[in-house]
Amino acid sequence: MSESRVRAEHGRTVRDLLEVVFRHKTKGALFCLFVVVTALGILAFVPAEYTSTAKLMVRRGNEGLFLDSITSAGQSLPLHKEWESEINTELEILGSRELIIQVIQSFGPDIFLQEPEPSRSGLLGPVRAVLGPVRGFFSRCRKALSRGSEGGSGDGGQGAVDRAALVVEENLLIKSREKSDIIFVSYTAVSPELARQVVARLIDIYLESRIDVHKVQGAHLFFTQQTEQLLSDLKASEEAIKGIKSSVGITSLEDSRHALQTSIEAVRAQRLQDEAALAAANSRVETLRSMLSQQDSDASVAKSGALLDRTEHQALQSTLRNEEITQAALRAGLRELDGQLVRLRRELDAINELESPIRRLEREQGMLEEKYRKYSENREQARINEELEIRKISNVSVVQQATLPPKANPSGKMLKLLAALFLGAAGGIAMTFGADCLDPALHSAADVSDRLGLKTLLELPILSSGELRFSSHRKAADGKTKGHRRDDRRRAENFFEELLFKVLALRTPEHVGPLSIGIASSCAGEGVSTIAVHLSAAFARDYRFAGTVLLDASLKEPSERPQGEMDDVPFSWQFVRAGHDDAESAGSSGAVELFAGQLTRMTKNGHAVIVVDLPPVSQGGSTLRMAAALDLVILVVEAGRVPWRTVQQAAGFLADANASVCGIVLNRRSLAVPKWLYRKL
């Protein structure tokens, strides 16, 4: 399967993705280098740190009642909360700003705000030594700005405390494991003794202040009043529900509805049975009546002696009367069943109308019962809490005192450097794709397919000689071209033979006469003339085509052509302006008329293939009118130069002019991926 087919079925290939990366490799490499250098600079200033830890155990039990902020509205949190909730509450108290400020005031804020000196030993020691002056400069600038802001605010002491609080909060860690009664408290500082003192002081302040935090004033009186009010509301709700049910004579809404629905289903089933029996009775009555009427009117049967005797006739009449009686009884039964259905449905509708108010009252009753139960429990707990607060009883114990760390914490700087390298590489790759998305030029067939929706017929790379020029076999044989020129000629022949086959595949089976192919571009200088020459040569080398002519409609004089492209070509070369000196004064209309006349003459002369070198679409409407007269039009795009919107606009102009644009030739396509890697894929 060819690469173009793989791209058509699966989008961009691995080659396309790697080409995007290699095309913008400089941007990606610079981004990766910036990330790694930044990470090195940051890690070079990171000082050694020490962590002191302590452990507290919270015994299970309801030491205090935790009221919600809206207890005045009659709501409170549950008394018996989940154990995780109680642990989380203690964690929040331990990490509160008020306790941290008390710790800072015990030591003074300066001890937390002093600048630590990074160690110059270890793997990053040389980097720290080099960046030391830079670090000192930024430190002095930060201190100067800090003093200026404190002087402007007029509250320097409080500002220092706030900054120290931020430092403590950043280095303080308070956590607990899942399904555990133990709370871990740790603090990280540049000094092991400072870390131990901060943890110890924080625990002391916490044990002294937590009882006051849990204290609730007037809880017992509040819950007593709320319990009595809820009991009164609950009794009123029960009376309202009982009154509604008594008005319709039911005790249970669901039981009454179920009984009525069962009765309705039974009546429906009985009605279906009676309808079936009535249908059978109707059939029998019709049959008996038909037999009796036939017996009375069939004279031929009477003559043949096949009539029933008198006894049988009377028996049939008796049977008919019985069936008619049964028929009448079934009809009466159906009317009675219909009346029962109407009555049962009315009763069901009456119960359904009462469902909404009863449900509403039952919901209110359920909520009142739940609140009454909670407030009753809270009232008893509030009484217990008053006793606990009086005696200063706490359910928190210190399991492990604050430790003095013997050595610094593992820094993991190598892992961080590897992570920075990975992030830099990932960001660099992302930057390459972002730069490719912002690049307006077309670089590959995938770009043409994604942005233009057109087929790429050929991708012409930049040859080793640097340019694509036509050279005849005679010159190559004479040795006037160098070795790489001969290789480029062979490669060019292979490329344009492939283009020839693709163009022939686009020709419709109904096509009769010479094949006219136009080569155009959106802007000037994209290599249209060179591609037209090589395509004409490819058709001329093919034995299936008797005559190939290149019609130059680019409105250039033959003298303006590059030397070497017009020498010894294997095809006929004609110019639209040849022999018409006043064509330029005639304007675009005159050029189109000259083109149409020469195209008609070539068609009559028996040429098999006519390759037309068209002017750029940007030069005006003459190109569009010329392209509309051709069988196929190939749009040449120089890779990496022309914006894709310009090419899209040119293709749109050609399509609006009814020109048959069959595809794109991507000229001077540079291969960003190394050749050895490109061949491996």
Side-chain angles (χ1 to χ4, degrees), residues 226-247:
Q226 292 294 325
T227 302
E228 294 175 355
Q229 180 63 36
L230 288 172
L231 181 59
S232 176
D233 295 342
L234 186 59
K235 290 179 179 180
S237 178
E238 292 174 351
E239 291 297 329
I241 295 174
K242 186 184 296 183
I244 293 176
K245 291 182 177 180
S246 299
S247 63

Side-chain angles (χ1 to χ4, degrees), residues 514-519 532-533 535-537 539-540 545-552 569-575 598-599 601-603 605-613:
L515 178 63
S516 57
I517 306 169
I519 313 295
V533 170
L535 182 59
S536 301
F539 275 105
F545 302 98
T548 302
V549 60
L550 172 59
L551 179 58
D552 192 339
V569 293
F571 50 84
S572 300
W573 197 331
Q574 299 185 19
F575 297 87
Q598 286 192 257
L599 186 64
R601 288 192 297 272
M602 291 177 185
T603 303
N605 291 336
H607 292 288
V609 178
I610 302 173
V611 180
V612 182
D613 184 355

Side-chain angles (χ1 to χ4, degrees), residues 385-646:
N385 290 341
E386 290 181 354
E387 296 296 329
L388 293 176
E389 292 166 4
I390 293 173
R391 302 187 182 186
K392 301 294 182 182
I393 298 175
S394 174
N395 58 352
V396 178
S397 302
V398 179
V399 177
Q400 174 184 306
Q401 298 290 343
T403 60
L404 182 65
K407 59 181 180 178
N409 301 334
S411 61
K413 294 179 179 179
M414 185 57 65
L415 182 61
K416 294 175 183 177
L417 282 176
L418 293 177
L421 181 61
F422 173 77
L423 292 176
I429 294 175
M431 178 170 285
T432 59
F433 283 98
D436 185 72
C437 292
L438 297 176
D439 190 355
L442 299 171
H443 296 277
S444 63
D447 294 339
V448 174
S449 177
D450 293 343
R451 294 180 172 178
L452 301 181
L454 295 176
K455 181 179 180 181
T456 302
L457 300 176
L458 185 64
E459 291 181 292
L460 283 174
I462 299 177
L463 302 180
S464 58
S465 59
E467 58 180 347
L468 178 64
R469 297 178 63 85
F470 180 78
S471 58
S472 64
H473 289 270
R474 181 177 60 81
K475 289 188 176 183
D478 292 341
K480 294 182 179 181
T481 55
K482 296 182 180 179
H484 64 272
R485 291 283 186 181
R486 290 195 298 271
D487 294 339
D488 289 347
R489 178 180 55 77
R490 296 191 190 98
R491 291 181 64 193
E493 290 178 357
N494 294 333
F495 280 127
F496 284 96
E497 285 179 3
E498 179 184 355
L499 179 60
L500 182 147
F501 292 140
K502 290 183 178 180
V503 170
L504 293 179
L506 296 172
R507 183 175 56 178
T508 60
E510 297 81 7
H511 181 79
V512 178
L515 178 63
S516 57
I517 306 169
I519 313 295
S521 64
S522 57
C523 301
E526 298 191 60
V528 173
S529 300
T530 304
I531 291 173
V533 170
H534 281 270
L535 182 59
S536 301
F539 275 105
R541 288 191 298 268
D542 197 320
Y543 68 91
R544 295 174 294 177
F545 302 98
T548 302
V549 60
L550 172 59
L551 179 58
D552 192 339
S554 61
L555 305 181
K556 292 182 179 179
E557 295 292 344
S559 59
E560 300 178 19
R561 286 290 173 182
Q563 294 297 325
E565 289 190 356
M566 299 177 60
D567 300 336
D568 195 20
V569 293
F571 50 84
S572 300
W573 197 331
Q574 299 185 19
F575 297 87
V576 171
R577 298 187 61 183
H580 296 274
D581 297 333
D582 58 341
E584 186 172 356
S585 62
S588 61
S589 298
V592 172
E593 292 176 0
L594 293 174
F595 169 78
Q598 286 192 257
L599 186 64
T600 303
R601 288 192 297 272
M602 291 177 185
T603 303
K604 294 179 180 180
N605 291 336
H607 292 288
V609 178
I610 302 173
V611 180
V612 182
D613 184 355
L614 294 172
V617 178
S618 61
Q619 289 187 3
S622 59
T623 304
L624 303 180
R625 291 194 291 272
M626 294 178 188
L630 302 176
D631 296 328
L632 299 174
V633 176
I634 299 174
L635 198 59
V636 179
V637 178
E638 183 176 350
R641 186 175 74 90
V642 182
W644 68 271
R645 293 190 181 276
T646 303

Side-chain angles (χ1 to χ4, degrees), residues 145-345:
L145 292 175
S146 176
R147 286 195 298 268
S149 61
E150 289 178 3
S153 62
D155 192 11
Q158 186 61 35
V161 171
D162 292 337
R163 293 198 307 276
L166 294 176
V167 173
V168 174
E169 288 177 348
E170 182 180 357
N171 294 282
L172 181 64
L173 177 62
I174 303 172
K175 65 178 183 178
S176 66
R177 293 193 179 96
E178 187 178 359
K179 297 180 181 180
S180 174
D181 300 341
I182 303 299
I183 296 177
F184 296 85
V185 183
S186 64
Y187 183 76
T188 302
V190 295
S191 169
E193 183 62 28
L194 177 62
R196 185 191 67 80
Q197 292 177 358
V198 170
V199 173
R201 184 56 182 160
L202 178 64
I203 292 176
D204 293 340
I205 296 175
Y206 163 71
L207 294 176
E208 294 175 359
S209 60
R210 69 177 302 274
I211 296 178
D212 295 333
V213 172
H214 289 299
K215 183 184 298 183
V216 180
Q217 299 292 337
H220 185 267
L221 178 60
F222 168 76
F223 284 114
T224 300
Q225 294 174 350
Q226 292 294 325
T227 302
E228 294 175 355
Q229 180 63 36
L230 288 172
L231 181 59
S232 176
D233 295 342
L234 186 59
K235 290 179 179 180
S237 178
E238 292 174 351
E239 291 297 329
I241 295 174
K242 186 184 296 183
I244 293 176
K245 291 182 177 180
S246 299
S247 63
V248 294
I250 61 174
T251 57
S252 175
L253 191 64
E254 294 296 333
D255 293 343
S256 299
R257 181 187 292 106
H258 180 69
L260 287 173
Q261 289 176 346
T262 303
S263 300
I264 290 173
E265 294 299 327
V267 172
R268 286 179 177 175
Q270 184 62 39
R271 193 178 187 281
L272 291 175
Q273 294 178 1
D274 290 353
E275 286 178 350
L278 179 59
N282 291 336
S283 178
R284 292 193 297 271
V285 168
E286 292 297 328
T287 302
L288 291 173
R289 287 177 179 174
S290 176
M291 292 175 62
L292 290 174
S293 62
Q294 185 179 6
Q295 182 70 18
D296 294 338
S297 61
D298 198 346
S300 63
V301 176
K303 292 179 182 181
S304 64
L307 287 172
L308 298 175
D309 56 16
R310 186 179 183 82
T311 303
E312 292 175 345
H313 188 272
Q314 290 177 354
L316 284 176
Q317 288 180 341
S318 177
T319 303
L320 177 59
R321 285 193 297 273
N322 292 335
E323 291 297 336
E324 288 176 347
I325 293 172
T326 302
Q327 186 182 40
L330 290 173
R331 289 175 178 171
L334 285 174
R335 288 193 295 272
E336 179 62 26
L337 290 175
D338 290 339
Q340 292 181 13
L341 280 176
V342 172
R343 290 193 299 272
L344 290 173
R345 286 171 178 167

Side-chain angles (χ1 to χ4, degrees), residues 58-78:
V58 181
R59 290 187 295 274
R60 295 176 183 263
N62 297 318
E63 182 192 38
L65 182 70
F66 299 85
L67 286 178
D68 190 64
S69 60
I70 53 173
T71 52
S72 59
Q75 301 180 12
S76 69
L77 293 177

Side-chain angles (χ1 to χ4, degrees), residues 93 95-103 105 169 205 209 213:
I93 297 175
S96 63
R97 174 62 73 93
E98 184 177 353
L99 268 64
I100 291 175
I101 290 178
Q102 293 182 27
V103 172
Q105 291 175 347
E169 288 177 348
I205 296 175
S209 60
V213 172

